[in-house]
Every structure is written in structure tokens, then in C-alpha cells.
Amino acid sequence: MACTQEQTQLGETNSNKSNEFENSFSHQPHLTKHEKTIVGRKPYQCPECQKVFNHKSRLTVHERTHTGLKPYQCSECCKSFSTKSNLTSHERTHTGHKPYQCSTCQKSFSFSCSLIHHQGTHTGQKPYQCSECQKSFNRKSRLTAHERTHTGQKTYQCSECCKSFSHKSSLTVHERTHTGQKPYQCSERCKSFSHKSSLTAHERTHTGQKPYQCSECQKGFYHKSGLTQHERIHTGLKPYQCSKCQKSFSRKITLTHHERTHTGVKPYQCSECCKSFSHKSSLTAHERTHTGQKPYQCSECCKSFSQKYNLTVHETTHTGQKRYQCSECQKGFYHKSGLTLHERIHTGLKQYQCSECQNSFGQKSNLTVHERTHTGHKPYQCPECHKSFRLKTTLTRHERTHTGDKLF
């Protein structure tokens, strides 16, 4: 009987609450929807994961996480979204509209969550703390991302190449390497970028602004990463170490390039002759052998070069400067690679070994030439009679038989 009285009282209470708000809604469905929030009813259940919702519209949006449906498409870049609110937020990246303004410093933001996070920079509040190392964060998402540095978890995987990432934003940026998408365009309409930070740094090349300055030598940089890398010149810090040979590097990209000397991977291929390279810059320089392009010109004698490095080396022939000196015999060299090769005369080091006959060489170029004795490869062809040669010098001597040129 007591239970019946309680149920009656609860019904009367809910009825009174419904009557109290009855005049606040113009349509009965709106009142019905509101009543569910009062009594805590969640009558809409997802058939996939059994999660419940008090509004049908919320169930509809939730179900898209299972189906992958994204019905809202951006008219500017054709990117699709599961909710209209996400589309509206995205469209601001094209329009530049920033409706949320900080009352302290008047800085504006495209998203309300960005404003909330920004306001924490004024208060200094960091309510989210890592249980492993006690480091604090002003955003829960940053704490979650940080915790993966302890667990090593990489939950976001690329569907194209299966590479995994700790952050969803890192996966989004990575996927653009497959699609070629560059959604961030310079206001000068001269270049597009896949990263917003890259666009920001690029725009400074137009304004000349270099906000990051070295405290040691006052050199300025367009972006913070450039300053960080530069500072290692002064400190000698080399935080990136090769797991194979323990050699250390000041830049991660330099370590990546170095590791390819162990793995032999060459991801950059010439579309003209299918030759592969371990560095993109090497491919770019190689492609000029097909086009004949020589964009780097000496201001002294107007001689042109296909690579900037070759121009730099050439210019020292005018100044006579030999910056690199052997500590053993004091012989000078125009460039560092020349010194490195020379030093092997003193050490006897021959690090390049033929996999066919185990013959060793001090220079990689000598190994490459030697390997042609096994493969029979003759890459240098005479344009006159089409005869091929293993060495470029042999082709040069041969061409004189056609021209009649006698060098000596």
C-alpha cells in the first residue's frame, strides 16, 4: 500500500511538473520531448550497442557512428560530416568566421571549445593530471593523448597503408599524403598546404615576420620547430639515435634518412627512368637530368647548376675558400664530403662492400661502378652511335672520336 501511495505521489508530482510547463510549449511533441528529460526516461535504444537516448534525433546521430553515414557535405571542398553542427564548424575554416571571442584579450575563435581551452591560458588552470608522471594539462584530450606515450597505444590506423597513430589529428594529416588534399591556401593564392601550421609559417614569408628568435645569436625563424632545431647547433644536442649503429642526429628527418642506409629502402621513384632514391631532394635533383633544368646560377660567372649545393661548392672556386681541413695532414677541401672521403686514406676505412664478391671500397660511387662488372649495366650511352659504357669518363673519351676533339 505504501508503494502505491509513493507511485501516486510521484505521478502527481510529474503531472504537476507537466502542468507547470504546459503553457511554455507551443506544440504537444515539444512538451512530450521535454517531459522525458524530467522523468529521466530514455526510450530510444541503439540496436547495435544498446546505448539509450531520450531523444530520437540523438539516436539517429549516434547510429551514424556504426553505419559511417555522413549526409552533410561541404560545398567548398566536398568533405562530409555526420552532423550538421560539425559541417557548420568546418565551413568556418573556409570563411575565416570566428564568432567566439575571449573577454580578456579579445582573441577570436571558430569553435566554442577552442575559446574554453584558450581561457585556461589566462587562469593557468590545468585540472587534468597524468597518474603516471603527474604532468598536468588544460584539456582532457591532451591528457588522453599524453597517456598514450606511456602505454604506446596507437588507436588510429590508416586504411590505405595500415600505419598507426596515437592522435586522430595525426591520422587526418597523414591521410592527405594519399589523397593529395591541401585544404589550406595562402591568401596570396600562391601555394596550398596540407597542414594549417605550414600555411601559418608560409604566410610569414610574405610579411617577413620571424617571431621565434635564438637567444644565443639572435637569428630569427618563421616557426618554433626551426628555432628548436637551430638551438641544437649551440647546445650540441642530438636527441635522435639510430637503433642499428647508435649514431645520433639533431633532427628526426635526418635520422629517418640515415636509417634508409641500413634498410636500403628508396621510396622516391623517377617516373621517367624508374630509378629510386632514399631522399625526395635527390629525386628532384635527378629529374633535372631529364629536363635539363639548371635553376641555380653563379652571380660571378653565370654558370648554372641543377643543385643548390653544387652552386655553393662552385662559388668557393671564386673565393678560394676551403672551409674543411683534414686534421691529419691539413689539406683543405671545398666541401665536407670531399674531406670525409679524404680522411679514409688515413684510416683505411672501406665501409662499402660488394654483396657479390665482398670487395670493399672507401667511396660509395666506386662500389656502384664496381657492381656494374657483375651486372653488366652500362648506363652511359653515346647519342651519336648509341654505344653504351660503364663509366661516364669512358663515354666522354669515346665522344671525341665523333667530334675529332683532342683535349691533350
Side-chain angles (χ1 to χ4, degrees), residues 152-188:
Q153 184 185 17
K154 294 183 177 181
T155 53
Y156 303 102
Q157 190 178 56
C158 174
S159 58
E160 187 75 24
C161 66
C162 301
K163 190 173 181 180
S164 297
F165 299 87
S166 303
H167 304 172
K168 189 176 181 180
S169 58
S170 300
L171 170 61
T172 301
V173 169
H174 165 78
E175 287 174 330
R176 292 174 189 151
T177 63
H178 298 298
T179 63
Q181 185 189 19
K182 295 182 178 181
Y184 303 103
Q185 190 176 53
C186 174
S187 57
E188 296 282 332

Side-chain angles (χ1 to χ4, degrees), residues 227-239:
L227 171 61
T228 302
Q229 289 176 9
H230 165 80
E231 286 175 329
R232 292 173 188 151
I233 295 171
H234 300 299
T235 62
L237 180 66
K238 295 181 178 181

Side-chain angles (χ1 to χ4, degrees), residues 13 21 28-29 55 73 112 118 171 177 189 210 249 292 348 357:
T13 301
F21 293 105
Q28 179 63 33
H55 298 168
Q73 190 177 59
S112 59
H118 164 78
L171 170 61
T177 63
R189 300 286 176 180
K210 293 182 179 180
F249 302 88
C357 66

Side-chain angles (χ1 to χ4, degrees), residues 301-318:
C301 66
C302 300
K303 189 173 181 180
S304 296
F305 299 86
S306 57
Q307 299 182 46
K308 188 176 182 180
Y309 173 74
N310 290 342
L311 170 61
T312 303
V313 172
H314 164 79
E315 286 174 331
T316 60
T317 63
H318 295 298

Side-chain angles (χ1 to χ4, degrees), residues 21 31 43 64 93 103 116 140 151 165 218 230 237 241 276 286 289 303 316 338 345 348 361 367 402 408:
F21 293 105
L31 174 59
R64 291 173 190 153
T93 63
S103 59
I116 293 168
K140 189 175 181 180
T151 63
F165 299 87
Q218 283 68 56
H230 165 80
L237 180 66
Q241 190 177 56
S276 297
H286 165 79
T289 63
K303 189 173 181 180
T316 60
I345 295 172
F361 300 87
L367 171 61
H402 297 297
F408 302 103

Side-chain angles (χ1 to χ4, degrees), residues 23 48 70 144 161 179 195-196 330 346 394:
N23 295 328
E48 188 75 24
K70 295 182 178 181
T144 303
C161 66
T179 63
H195 301 193
K196 190 175 182 180
Q330 282 69 53
H346 299 298
T394 309

Side-chain angles (χ1 to χ4, degrees), residues 289-300:
T289 63
H290 297 298
T291 63
Q293 185 188 17
K294 295 182 178 181
Y296 304 103
Q297 191 177 56
C298 175
S299 58
E300 188 74 26

